[in-house]
Amino acid sequence: NNGEDFEIVFACIATGVVSGIGFSLMLKRFGASGGTYAISALIKKAKPATNIAYISFLLDASVVVIAFFVYGMKITPVLCTLINLFIANVVVDNMLSGIKNGYKFEIVTDKPNEISAELIEKLGHGVTEIRVHGMYSDSDKYMLVCIIRKKQIGEMMKIIKRYPDTFASFTKVNEVFGRFKR
């Protein structure tokens, strides 16, 4: 029986991955399969910050929980379905956010030309310079804004560490539009 249980779990995982890839491709093309993804896509259109995969999982999970009571309180099909849904939605979330996300660095410095030249040369992304005034130090400074890919964070940190009087912070950006070099 352990072999059958393993096969069922493996099937749930495999179908979750395949379903997630299919749903991701469909949603990237502004389509929906109907049901909870259609509702999630409409919610996303009204509120762009909404995570489609999370909303869809909550809606689907609520249907599965109700089905547990309607179809004889069998736990194995419910758990298998929840595993499948969870994996599918994790795949959807990663595939959708992996395309358009980035990391925005805000770097406050006295050396904007040197740092921006390094960022452009080594990371291949544009840099925006903003004049700012440091209230603590009561001095004029520059803030550089640069959006990069996740895999470039380490190189960005190396560059920033070479400038000890520099302050930097970064945040994840969920949607990047325009001429962002992937």
Side-chain angles (χ1 to χ4, degrees):
N1 248 349
N2 284 343
E4 287 178 21
D5 291 341
F6 177 76
E7 289 175 9
I8 290 171
V9 171
F10 181 72
C12 293
I13 293 169
T15 57
V17 170
V18 171
S19 298
I21 291 169
F23 288 137
S24 298
L25 294 172
M26 190 172 28
L27 290 168
K28 283 181 193 178
R29 309 259 185 294
F30 304 105
S33 63
T36 58
Y37 276 107
I39 294 168
S40 299
L42 290 173
I43 292 170
K44 173 87 172 167
K45 189 173 183 178
K47 293 187 175 191
T50 305
N51 182 322
I52 288 180
Y54 179 72
I55 296 295
S56 182
F57 177 74
L58 288 178
L59 293 170
D60 285 337
S62 65
V63 171
V64 172
V65 169
I66 292 168
F68 171 74
F69 297 105
V70 173
Y71 293 107
M73 298 185 176
K74 295 180 181 173
I75 194 71
T76 303
V78 169
L79 290 176
C80 288
T81 304
L82 288 174
I83 290 169
N84 175 286
L85 291 173
F86 179 77
I87 290 172
N89 286 297
V90 166
V91 170
V92 168
D93 189 37
N94 285 316
M95 285 188 70
L96 292 180
S97 68
I99 299 268
K100 297 181 181 179
N101 71 356
Y103 290 83
K104 178 174 84 169
F105 274 78
E106 294 178 338
I107 306 161
V108 179
T109 184
D110 290 330
K111 297 181 171 48
N113 293 329
E114 295 92 331
I115 294 174
S116 60
E118 253 190 277
L119 296 175
I120 291 167
E121 179 188 329
K122 293 183 179 172
L123 300 180
H125 290 287
V127 179
T128 301
E129 174 186 288
I130 303 167
R131 292 179 188 262
V132 296
H133 185 80
M135 298 304 288
Y136 183 78
S137 64
D138 193 29
S139 63
D140 290 334
K141 298 194 179 268
Y142 297 90
M143 180 169 57
L144 304 176
V145 178
C146 183
I147 298 177
I148 63 172
R149 295 182 304 256
K150 183 177 184 176
K151 67 181 182 179
Q152 295 177 307
I153 291 174
E155 184 64 29
M156 173 67 92
M157 300 300 255
K158 287 179 190 174
I159 293 169
I160 293 169
K161 284 181 182 180
R162 285 197 283 273
Y163 300 89
D165 293 334
T166 297
F167 170 79
S169 66
F170 71 97
T171 57
K172 184 175 182 180
V173 179
N174 291 326
E175 299 283 335
V176 179
F177 297 98
R179 294 176 44 190
F180 179 69
K181 181 181 173 187
R182 290 172 173 68

